[in-house]
Amino acid sequence: AIEGARLRFGGQTSNDFSTRLMLSGHVAYGTNDYRFKYGLGFLYMFNTNPRRALSGSYLYDMVQLGQSQDAFSQESFFAVFFRRNPANKLSMLERYQLSYEHEWFTGFSNTFSFSHRKLFPVGDFPFIVFPDDQPVKIEDNIISAEAGIRFRLAFRERYILGNFTRITIGTEYPIFEIDYGYGIPGLFLSEYEYHRLQFQAKQWFNVASIGWSKYILEAGKIWGVLPFPLLKLQPANETFLFDEYAYNLMNYYEFIHDEYVSLYFTHHFDGFFLNRIPLMRKLKWRTVVHGRVLLGSLSEENKSYSAFPARRIDQTNPYYEAGAGIENIFKFIRIDAIWRLSYRDIYNSRNFGVFVSASLTF
């Protein structure tokens, strides 16, 4: 809806180039906005086990704010053809980012990071702020600089190691993450000072002979008066592709908070039900159920500081989603039916949807 046809070319070095340094980059062009976008990045491995890595990147490109870490990019073939709303809520982002990951011992690590972001409004929604005792300002951009530190504890976690990446194969104990960020005012024209703290705990565990469960508990708080793009935009999903880390029936910018707590719970029954049906036993399909709840708030200072998208909901009660699905279809396809159980009468809300995803289960 904004870029038109997006043409993109990118690349990444392989182990034949180096087993310590990986370089990547891309360039893209939109036939509607007539604008080139691009990005560059590097990853340098000091050590693979324990992991010691330095990475950096520069990005000048369109992004979707409020998208989960697990979501397909907006240019993905699947995201394009399984989109349920037009991609008309994008923002232009210029970002410099540098991080260093230091694993002290297996399962415990720190990540030190610094990022500088400049956000530009796109389309018909400008960034408008209402400073105290000052005229209303229409911002051409929003600039922030943030230094952060992350603690991650995963006792007895096991990995599959590569030269640059590693894949976790889990641990029977809870995994804890604490992420703190400080907005540095005045640094490289940064305009805002704030403190951001987020806590997450997740775990999977067997439940007797009826399958296994997983939960993700998350809580966060932001101290500071900020325009809405710098607040917590709860991760939404405007495609028909199931996203475990997003609210799949929530639209972008519906829920914006500076204080929140959320819980996701899923249970995989494996073959507990369908194996009792002869035909289903041969297909080896498996059942799964899941639910998600969110409760958050926004301070009066942040409500009155900037203009919000019209679709934002002033939350007073928890937001609920629940779903059921079948996985292991053709060994890798999963199909979920999901219901929105609260805030069902909001304009343009979708209260039921069928989602597809690909996952390997063992």
Side-chain angles (χ1 to χ4, degrees):
I2 293 174
E3 293 184 273
R6 177 181 167 97
L7 310 174
R8 183 184 190 274
F9 175 79
Q12 178 176 290
T13 60
S14 70
N15 294 347
D16 292 335
F17 172 78
S18 172
T19 57
R20 285 191 175 273
L21 176 65
M22 180 172 68
L23 304 175
S24 60
H26 78 273
V27 61
Y29 181 78
T31 59
N32 270 10
D33 62 356
Y34 308 108
R35 181 183 290 180
F36 281 99
K37 301 95 176 177
Y38 37 86
L40 295 169
F42 76 89
L43 172 63
Y44 185 82
M45 299 297 301
F46 297 98
N47 198 13
T48 55
N49 192 25
R51 186 176 176 87
R52 312 280 168 80
L54 178 69
S55 63
S57 64
Y58 171 76
L59 180 69
Y60 179 75
D61 209 338
M62 292 284 186
V63 296
Q64 176 59 67
L65 302 178
Q67 194 174 48
S68 87
Q69 61 184 15
D70 209 40
F72 283 94
S73 68
Q74 291 297 310
E75 67 187 2
S76 161
F77 173 88
F78 295 102
V80 169
F81 285 95
F82 287 89
R83 184 175 286 136
R84 61 182 173 87
N85 287 328
N88 57 4
K89 306 179 185 71
L90 302 177
S91 298
M92 196 70 188
L93 172 65
E94 183 178 29
R95 183 186 66 205
Y96 300 86
Q97 192 163 278
L98 187 68
S99 67
Y100 172 68
E101 182 181 359
H102 189 101
E103 186 175 48
W104 301 94
F105 54 84
T106 301
F108 179 66
S109 65
N110 285 131
T111 301
F112 305 90
S113 62
F114 174 79
S115 65
H116 183 272
R117 299 197 308 166
K118 183 184 289 188
L119 275 166
F120 303 88
V122 174
D124 299 328
F125 191 83
F127 295 148
I128 303 175
V129 298
F130 309 99
D132 291 338
D133 303 322
Q134 296 182 36
V136 173
K137 293 174 61 180
I138 299 178
E139 299 280 18
D140 294 328
N141 53 64
I142 292 174
I143 303 175
S144 67
E146 179 180 300
I149 181 172
R150 173 176 293 180
F151 299 85
R152 187 177 189 274
L153 176 61
F155 185 59
R156 292 186 177 177
E157 187 174 30
R158 296 169 297 165
Y159 305 98
I160 298 173
L161 291 175
N163 287 316
F164 296 103
T165 60
R166 65 181 183 182
I167 301 172
T168 177
I169 53 177
T171 171
E172 59 184 305
Y173 299 95
I175 298 174
F176 300 103
E177 290 187 7
I178 298 175
D179 192 3
Y180 169 75
Y182 171 63
I184 309 171
L187 182 63
F188 304 127
L189 302 180
S190 172
E191 303 167 287
Y192 299 98
E193 182 177 21
Y194 60 88
H195 300 270
R196 176 182 55 81
L197 186 64
Q198 180 176 294
F199 167 81
Q200 185 184 92
K202 57 185 177 182
Q203 183 185 15
W204 74 271
F205 52 90
N206 291 314
V207 182
S209 61
I210 59 172
W212 59 277
S213 295
K214 176 182 177 180
Y215 69 82
I216 302 174
L217 173 66
E218 186 175 301
K221 184 174 176 61
I222 297 172
W223 292 267
V225 180
L226 302 171
F228 85 88
L230 300 183
L231 297 171
K232 176 61 177 180
L233 310 177
Q234 296 298 344
N237 182 10
E238 295 193 2
T239 73
F240 291 104
L241 300 168
F242 177 74
D243 185 347
E244 187 176 51
Y245 290 91
Y247 301 91
N248 286 281
L249 290 174
M250 184 187 293
N251 292 322
Y252 296 124
Y253 307 147
E254 275 197 86
F255 291 89
I256 302 174
H257 299 135
D258 55 23
E259 188 174 354
Y260 71 96
V261 60
S262 66
L263 176 65
Y264 170 73
F265 182 84
T266 182
H267 183 78
H268 298 251
F269 287 98
D270 291 339
F272 184 76
F273 291 118
L274 297 183
N275 279 359
R276 302 174 188 275
I277 305 171
L279 179 59
M280 293 291 103
R281 186 186 302 119
K282 292 183 179 180
L283 291 174
K284 295 183 179 180
W285 290 2
R286 301 165 181 171
T287 51
V288 57
V289 296
H290 49 89
R292 189 183 295 273
V293 59
L294 167 69
L295 182 61
S297 62
L298 187 62
S299 67
E300 292 300 324
E301 293 82 1
N302 278 320
K303 285 182 185 178
S304 60
Y305 181 72
S306 65
F308 287 83
R311 61 188 68 86
R312 184 187 78 87
I313 297 172
D314 197 2
Q315 188 174 19
T316 55
N317 298 305
Y319 174 86
Y320 297 101
E321 282 183 6
I326 296 176
E327 58 186 354
N328 205 44
I329 302 172
F330 303 122
K331 304 298 183 183
F332 70 98
I333 294 176
R334 170 173 165 173
I335 297 177
D336 287 85
I338 302 179
W339 291 263
R340 178 169 170 150
L341 303 179
S342 59
Y343 298 95
R344 294 172 56 87
D345 299 325
I346 303 300
Y347 172 74
N348 205 30
S349 68
R350 189 176 188 90
N351 297 322
F352 174 77
V354 176
F355 295 80
V356 64
S357 59
S359 63
L360 294 175
T361 56
F362 302 95

